[in-house]
């Protein structure tokens, strides 16, 4: 089987393949253009960790850093300009895909400062600033699905801005995200926005659920507990998809659809496999279902191209089985709500830490650029 056939099969099954990575090196080397041309990649997601890695490891930003230093830009301005430059360039690279898919794909996601994850007002302001700064129709502003993030999601969509809701771990929170999406579109309609121009995805995190649940199952250590390892993440995602089907069969959605709205697609995020005992493509080939997105790190994308087992829809009709997994996980003594709370807190914390690293990196790069000039 040819190298891209598996990715073609995935794409034909209705899964949009996005790359979870971006750097100026990837843009300038033609690597990203190659993925779009040859590997069915139709979108790009970024996060603070991705930018921190890109900026600390590459000389491709030196020239812009020197210009920023010469202008006397502060570190926050520098980070904004460096990251939005990459996102703008990537958005231009994907513009043909955006046009060909009528705005569904061909999008690049950029995240609000993760330090604002618990602040509704500042998140809304920053989302609007990022949208204006990148100034491309084919981007998503990423907003975390914290409790404070939910009203920010509604208000950002109400302003006509396309949103990628990130850091969703529980099905309960995912339902609240869909409600926030509906409310945002209803307000956008009232404000006179063209609903057909607004897109949204809901990024449901997968592998981290297994990491956390498996750790707790191993601590319990009974045969029943150990037999459940590696089951929770897929079950959770499949329950999320059932919630998506239910919510988007509602009268509330029907009214929005009639007004020209696009559904908010589920996006499988965190699909790189953390446990080497598991197949490295499991969070892709076990989550194949139409009208979804799977955003993959490069390593996972290559693994899928090489040896994934794509065998049709692996999600529809699995909700009952998935619920049984959670019933068993609860029965062996795991507090599932605590798992999701822990994951959300850790997710916000990880991104805050990466953001701080990004600021530190850029601060020292600006200083050395000043010295050189």
């Amino acid at each position: 089987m040819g190298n891209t056939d598996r990715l073609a099969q995935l794409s034909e099954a209705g899964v949009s393949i996005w790359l979870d990575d971006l750097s100026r090196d990837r843009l300038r080397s033609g690597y990203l253009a190659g993925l779009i041309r040859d590997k069915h990649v139709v979108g790009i997601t970024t996060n603070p960790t991705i930018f921190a890695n890109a900026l600390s490891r590459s000389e491709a930003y030196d020239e812009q850093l020197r210009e920023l230093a010469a202008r006397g830009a502060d570190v926050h301005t520098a980070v904004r300009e460096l990251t939005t430059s990459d996102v703008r360039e990537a958005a231009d690279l994907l513009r043909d895909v955006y046009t060909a898919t009528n705005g569904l794909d061909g999008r690049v996601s950029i995240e609000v400062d993760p330090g604002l994850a618990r602040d509704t007002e500042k998140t809304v302001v920053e989302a609007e600033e990022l949208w204006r700064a990148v100034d491309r129709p084919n981007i998503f502003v990423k907003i975390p699905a914290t409790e404070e993030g939910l009203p920010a999601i509604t208000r950002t969509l109400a302003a006509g801005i396309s949103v990628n809701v990130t850091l969703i771990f529980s099905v309960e929170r995912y339902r609240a995200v869909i409600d926030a999406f509906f409310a945002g579109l209803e307000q956008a309609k009232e404000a006179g926005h063209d609903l057909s121009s607004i897109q949204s995805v809901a990024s449901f995190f997968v592998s981290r659920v297994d990491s956390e649940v498996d750790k707790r199952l191993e601590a319990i250590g009974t045969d029943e507990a150990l037999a459940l390892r590696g089951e929770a993440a897929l079950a959770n995602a499949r329950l999320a998809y059932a919630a998506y089907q239910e919510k988007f069969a509602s009268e509330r959605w029907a009214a929005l659809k009639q007004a020209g709205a696009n559904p908010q697609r589920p996006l499988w995020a965190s699909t790189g496999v953390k446990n080497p005992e598991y197949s490295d493509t499991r969070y892709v080939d076990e989550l194949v279902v139409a009208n979804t997105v799977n955003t993959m790190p490069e390593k996972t994308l290559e693994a899928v191209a090489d040896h994934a087992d794509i065998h049709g829809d692996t999600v529809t009709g699995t909700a009952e089985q998935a619920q049984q997994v959670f019933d068993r996980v609860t029965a062996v003594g795991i507090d599932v709500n605590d798992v999701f709370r822990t994951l959300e807190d850790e997710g916000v914390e990880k991104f805050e830490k990466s953001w701080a690293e990004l600021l530190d990196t850029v601060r020292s790069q600006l200083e050395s650029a000043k010295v050189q000039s």
Side-chain angles (χ1 to χ4, degrees):
M1 192 182 273
N3 221 17
T4 58
D5 292 356
R6 290 178 180 85
L7 293 168
Q9 285 176 318
L10 192 59
S11 184
E12 282 154 19
V15 179
S16 291
I17 299 164
W18 292 3
L19 178 73
D20 191 26
D21 205 350
L22 180 63
S23 69
R24 201 158 290 184
D25 288 334
R26 287 170 188 277
L27 283 161
R28 301 284 157 86
S29 64
Y31 171 80
L32 282 176
L35 289 184
I36 296 162
R37 187 182 61 240
D38 306 326
K39 297 283 178 91
H40 306 274
V41 169
V42 292
I44 293 167
T45 49
T46 68
N47 61 42
T49 307
I50 285 169
F51 280 128
N53 286 338
L55 272 136
S56 62
R57 292 179 187 167
S58 169
E59 290 168 12
Y61 299 93
D62 290 0
E63 190 185 336
Q64 192 179 2
L65 278 157
R66 280 195 294 274
E67 285 168 19
L68 287 160
R71 255 178 36 211
D74 65 43
V75 66
H76 290 277
T77 304
V79 166
R80 169 69 54 87
E81 291 198 23
L82 291 159
T83 55
T84 54
S85 293
D86 279 2
V87 169
R88 197 176 300 116
E89 202 171 319
D92 290 345
L93 195 58
L94 281 159
R95 192 61 182 261
D96 290 348
V97 174
Y98 170 77
T99 306
T101 60
N102 205 12
L104 187 69
D105 285 311
R107 290 180 177 264
V108 188
S109 296
I110 183 168
E111 190 155 342
V112 293
D113 173 348
L116 308 177
R118 309 282 182 204
D119 189 323
T120 306
E121 290 301 321
K122 285 183 179 166
T123 295
V124 173
V125 170
E126 167 120 347
E128 291 181 356
E129 282 176 4
L130 281 172
W131 181 257
R132 279 199 302 272
V134 179
D135 193 25
R136 296 292 185 272
N138 56 324
I139 69 156
F140 277 124
V141 177
K142 264 177 133 171
I143 299 176
T146 54
E147 280 177 30
E148 298 83 356
L150 294 169
I153 290 156
T154 295
R155 285 169 53 187
T156 303
L157 287 161
I161 294 170
S162 294
V163 174
N164 175 345
V165 182
T166 187
L167 286 178
I168 309 170
F169 295 100
S170 75
V171 177
E172 184 188 11
R173 182 59 56 83
Y174 176 45
R175 286 174 177 278
V177 165
I178 297 174
D179 288 339
F181 167 74
F182 288 165
L185 289 189
E186 286 156 359
Q187 291 173 26
K189 185 181 166 214
E190 277 171 38
H193 288 289
D194 169 12
L195 295 191
S196 70
S197 71
I198 304 169
Q199 286 282 356
S200 184
V201 290
S203 296
F204 203 84
F205 278 52
V206 185
S207 66
R208 292 185 195 182
V209 173
D210 270 344
S211 301
E212 185 62 29
V213 173
D214 285 2
K215 187 171 79 181
R216 296 180 186 213
L217 290 167
E218 282 159 12
I220 293 165
T222 62
D223 289 349
E224 290 142 299
L226 297 176
L228 288 163
R229 279 179 302 185
E231 298 284 329
L234 291 173
N236 198 38
R238 286 165 174 167
L239 287 170
Y241 190 78
Y244 159 77
Q245 287 181 301
E246 181 197 316
K247 285 277 197 186
F248 283 87
S250 66
E251 284 178 21
R252 189 179 183 189
W253 169 245
L256 284 164
K257 189 180 175 184
Q258 207 174 350
N262 304 294
Q264 181 187 56
R265 289 185 294 169
L267 177 152
W268 311 124
S270 175
T271 55
V273 175
K274 312 268 195 287
N275 186 335
E277 288 173 31
Y278 302 154
S279 154
D280 57 358
T281 62
R282 67 174 314 181
Y283 301 129
V284 179
D285 42 33
E286 295 298 335
L287 291 175
V288 176
V289 61
N291 301 318
T292 57
V293 179
N294 196 310
T295 185
M296 310 173 208
E298 181 188 2
K299 208 169 132 191
T300 304
L301 184 74
E302 285 174 355
V304 171
D306 183 62
H307 55 260
D309 179 17
I310 308 297
H311 48 275
D313 184 339
T314 49
V315 178
T316 307
T318 58
E320 201 178 320
Q321 214 179 332
Q323 188 53 54
Q324 287 168 4
V325 170
F326 271 91
D327 293 345
R328 294 207 301 275
V329 166
T330 305
V332 299
I334 286 181
D335 179 347
V336 176
N337 289 331
D338 185 65
V339 167
F340 296 135
R341 249 193 321 273
T342 301
L343 286 168
E344 181 181 295
D345 290 346
E346 275 180 7
V348 171
E349 205 180 297
K350 276 179 186 161
F351 282 163
E352 280 182 344
K353 198 175 154 203
S354 297
W355 193 254
E357 281 167 19
L358 177 59
L359 291 172
D360 285 345
T361 301
V362 171
R363 197 175 283 115
S364 62
Q365 286 174 336
L366 281 172
E367 280 162 16
S368 65
K370 277 179 198 154
V371 172
Q372 285 162 15
S373 62

